[in-house]
Amino acid sequence: MVPSRTGLGSWTSPCSGTVRDLGDALAFDVADEGAVGTTRPFERGRTSGGEGEGIGLALARDLTVTLGGRLSLTGRRPTTFTVLVPVRQDGAGERTGNGDG
């Protein structure tokens, strides 16, 4: 997801991002004007027909799961992916990243 938007993949449309605080999680939304050309965008080897190997979204999902979160397709027009990453409060009331300490 992010590597494709930073020049390692095709750069064919502008993209935007937002971060939302959901209390127990942070939601990172990334949207662009592209189209999802497959019904299984998170499967390795699936592409939208352009250049690439079809590993970007699969890798992004694997990394997100490692953080205790999840990555999902949340919109098709515009194409939007959302990463949810849990946060927790430590003993001092400070919020931390991945929920596991």
Side-chain angles (χ1 to χ4, degrees):
M1 194 166 80
V2 174
S4 292
R5 308 315 298 162
T6 58
L8 296 177
S10 173
W11 184 268
T12 58
S13 63
C15 72
S16 64
T18 59
V19 178
R20 296 176 288 129
D21 186 343
L22 305 177
D24 62 346
L26 293 175
F28 299 87
D29 303 307
V30 178
D32 70 18
E33 297 173 359
V36 177
T38 177
T39 57
R40 298 179 293 197
F42 300 104
E43 186 175 308
R44 290 187 191 275
R46 298 284 178 172
T47 68
S48 294
E51 294 180 20
E53 302 297 323
I55 62 170
L57 286 172
L59 179 59
R61 179 173 266 180
D62 289 348
L63 292 171
T64 302
V65 168
T66 299
L67 293 173
R70 70 177 187 251
L71 170 62
S72 50
L73 174 65
T74 53
R76 291 197 174 264
R77 298 233 182 246
T79 301
T80 306
F81 292 92
T82 300
V83 174
L84 290 175
V85 180
V87 294
R88 68 168 186 83
Q89 291 192 352
D90 66 14
E94 296 292 320
R95 291 174 57 155
T96 61
N98 66 9
D100 66 357

